[in-house]
Amino acid sequence: MKHTQMAPGMSSTRPADEQLRYMPGFGNDFETEALPDALPQGMNSPQKCNYGLYAEQLSGTAFTAPRGQNERTWCYRIRPSVHHTGRFQKIDVPYWKSAPHVKDDVISLGQYRWNPVPHAQEETTWLTGMRTMTTAGDVNTQVGMAAHIYLITASMEDEYFFSADSELLVVPQEGRLRFATELGIIDLEPKEIAILPRGLVYRVEVLEGPARGFVCENYGQKFDMPSRGPIGANCLANPRDFKTPVAAFEDHDAKSRVVIKWCGQFHETFIGHSPLDVVAWHGNYAPVKYDLRTFSPVGAVLFDHPDPSIFTVLTAPSGVEGTANIDFVLFRERWMVAENTFRPPWYHKNIMSELMGNIYGIYDAKPKGFIPGGMSLHNMMLPHGPDGPAFEGASNANLGADKLDNTMSFMFETRFPQHLTEFAAKEAPLQDDYIDCWDGLEKKFDGTPGTK
């Protein structure tokens, strides 16, 4: 797939909002250029590139990864990336934490729920507005994840960021953001998500603020679409609904700050220009966005409640087949028709640790207290399920066809225990009475044969 975007001049191809264009497909091999004939044909590294560009490869996997998993992108840029960094200096980004992050005075064992984290009084950007809630695994051995809330009121000005540790799954809850990346521009709003690959340089701008949302920082293998098994070739998330931006570059000379996250530490370096200078590229390692409203859920059409795995949008595999490093699971509007069935999620405990977020509306298992913008955490092997009102309502409902409407929640699920940060335990608006939501569950046991 090839896209050519004519540039108005050599200074920039940053388009206005209405001009943004995307290429469809998940994991496709794309080619795109912002100037005609900037992309070499038939080879990757010609002796001389058109327009005086430099050829450079960005590798997202080991060179010898299996072909179906191998990811790389060839970039044709104004300056090679070695000119986009200088000497590094460590800096403190106090609220962004990485695993392992275990505090002796913080208890992660328990069922937790938070109200929406409010915006700070001071101006915040993508970096200063990130608040880590939980960490899991180990960033240095590239397993596990971290869950964050972002709170943004201001755009990054001549400031850029990339993570060498992780890819980031971004889930907006309010406001609109623009991610100006090396490989193109993504505009993002609630009911959409974006994946920013490991090593990709970008700047985050506020299009409509304040902006708040959730981030899953994936230390392990990158997110992929789940296998559908007996579901077959269709439904759930479909590849064509994932959108990758076309090439857009900046040729802008100004003092710029580049911040890099590496092994859980943050470093800054200063350069004299914008690093977003890729004029053309081809490959399969690129940022992508997805509209959650295109997710086609499947479910029981006769009786019983399927496992929540049927709502998986994306999965990041681990070394254990069928057990994810991370699953991203979506609970959106859908019809409930199962006969003689308790329809909300059943009570359970399992080996996965489940962090949920509410984008909008009411979640059927928690009709009260789980507020849009809020989060909950049920760690591995801790029991959880519907609260008292949800149980009573579902147990006594008239089981006709019923549509769950105006609802969108999600889950970051991982095989690792998720440890609370000090911010999550001591500063974020924790609902101290969340554990009490199950107090209303009464003993209903009656040993009389035939009693329901």
Side-chain angles (χ1 to χ4, degrees):
M1 173 177 304
K2 182 174 180 179
H3 183 275
T4 300
Q5 177 173 301
M6 298 297 292
M10 288 295 291
S11 61
S12 174
T13 60
R14 287 188 57 199
D17 290 2
E18 65 274 7
Q19 295 175 312
L20 286 188
R21 297 189 63 184
Y22 302 94
M23 302 174 287
F26 186 90
N28 286 7
D29 203 281
F30 298 102
E31 59 176 24
T32 174
E33 55 188 10
L35 292 174
D37 300 320
L39 194 67
Q41 297 299 312
M43 64 186 305
N44 295 322
S45 186
Q47 184 179 24
K48 289 187 177 181
C49 297
N50 289 344
Y51 300 102
L53 299 173
Y54 289 85
E56 177 178 293
Q57 183 175 234
L58 173 62
S59 296
T61 58
F63 295 140
T64 53
R67 188 180 63 83
Q69 302 170 19
N70 203 301
E71 295 195 335
R72 59 87 179 97
T73 289
W74 276 94
C75 304
Y76 302 90
R77 57 194 319 153
I78 297 171
R79 297 176 178 87
S81 288
V82 290
H83 271 204
H84 297 332
T85 60
R87 289 179 173 82
F88 297 108
Q89 180 176 335
K90 281 188 179 181
I91 61 171
D92 186 28
V93 181
Y95 285 102
W96 192 329
K97 306 297 182 183
S98 295
H101 184 77
V102 181
K103 295 295 184 180
D104 291 339
D105 60 341
V106 172
I107 298 176
S108 297
L109 181 66
Q111 297 96 336
Y112 294 100
R113 189 165 68 188
W114 294 265
N115 287 328
V117 179
H119 288 275
Q121 295 297 317
E122 67 274 10
E123 184 177 87
T124 54
T125 65
W126 178 253
L127 287 174
T128 61
M130 198 70 71
R131 302 288 185 265
T132 306
M133 300 294 289
T134 68
T135 66
D138 188 340
V139 69
N140 293 288
T141 57
Q142 298 185 356
V143 293
M145 57 161 283
H148 315 280
I149 291 283
Y150 67 78
L151 306 163
I152 308 176
T153 60
S155 300
M156 299 167 72
E157 300 289 346
D158 292 322
E159 183 178 56
Y160 305 86
F161 173 74
F162 78 86
S163 173
D165 290 342
S166 53
E167 68 173 348
L168 300 181
L169 171 63
V170 184
V171 186
Q173 191 267 321
E174 67 173 8
R176 295 175 59 240
L177 297 177
R178 166 167 288 183
F179 293 88
T181 83
E182 293 179 282
L183 301 183
I185 298 172
I186 286 177
D187 284 358
L188 201 65
E189 63 186 23
K191 306 179 188 178
E192 298 177 329
I193 61 172
I195 300 176
L196 305 170
R198 184 194 308 257
L200 182 77
V201 180
Y202 58 90
R203 178 183 64 246
V204 182
E205 302 171 2
V206 177
L207 298 180
E208 182 181 307
R212 177 173 57 208
F214 311 89
V215 173
C216 181
E217 185 177 5
N218 175 20
Y219 306 145
Q221 295 183 57
K222 68 178 296 294
F223 280 109
D224 198 355
M225 297 183 67
S227 297
R228 293 189 179 100
I231 295 173
N234 302 292
C235 292
L236 306 186
N238 289 302
R240 69 189 293 255
D241 295 318
F242 289 82
K243 309 295 184 183
T244 294
V246 301
F249 70 92
E250 296 176 352
D251 185 9
H252 175 58
D253 293 331
K255 184 178 180 180
S256 300
R257 178 182 186 235
V258 180
V259 176
I260 301 169
K261 183 177 186 288
W262 188 87
C263 293
Q265 299 176 333
F266 290 84
H267 305 74
E268 68 178 4
T269 185
F270 291 91
I271 58 177
H273 50 269
S274 167
L276 308 184
D277 64 355
V278 176
V279 178
W281 62 268
H282 77 86
N284 60 355
Y285 190 67
V288 65
K289 68 181 289 187
Y290 173 73
D291 190 333
L292 296 173
R293 290 162 291 194
T294 65
F295 183 81
S296 177
V298 298
V301 295
L302 189 60
F303 63 87
D304 272 350
H305 192 297
D307 295 334
S309 51
I310 61 169
F311 301 121
T312 302
V313 182
L314 294 164
T315 185
S318 71
V320 180
E321 185 176 358
T323 303
N325 182 62
I326 308 168
D327 281 330
F328 173 63
V329 181
L330 180 69
F331 306 106
R332 62 156 303 184
E333 295 87 353
R334 60 197 183 276
W335 282 94
M336 308 288 278
V337 299
E339 300 173 355
N340 193 30
T341 296
F342 183 80
R343 291 178 176 175
W346 16 254
Y347 296 98
H348 68 288
K349 58 181 178 180
N350 63 11
I351 65 167
M352 306 295 278
S353 298
E354 304 173 3
L355 186 140
M356 287 194 65
N358 189 350
I359 299 173
Y360 65 82
I362 295 174
Y363 178 57
D364 60 331
K366 300 289 192 304
K368 294 183 179 180
F370 191 31
I371 304 168
M375 305 175 74
S376 68
L377 174 65
H378 302 119
N379 248 319
M380 55 183 294
M381 286 304 173
L382 284 178
H384 52 284
D387 59 21
F391 176 81
E392 292 297 334
S395 299
N396 298 292
N398 179 13
L399 293 182
D402 181 38
K403 186 176 183 181
L404 292 177
D405 212 354
N406 188 37
T407 181
M408 185 174 285
S409 300
F410 68 88
M411 184 161 62
F412 299 151
E413 184 180 65
T414 177
R415 68 183 180 125
F416 297 100
Q418 299 193 44
H419 294 274
L420 270 64
T421 61
E422 286 187 296
F423 174 80
K426 300 177 181 180
E427 295 185 51
L430 184 66
Q431 295 180 5
D432 293 329
D433 61 349
Y434 175 51
I435 190 70
D436 301 333
C437 76
W438 293 288
D439 285 353
L441 295 171
E442 301 173 347
K443 177 182 176 180
K444 298 178 180 291
F445 175 74
D446 185 339
T448 305
T451 302
K452 289 188 176 181

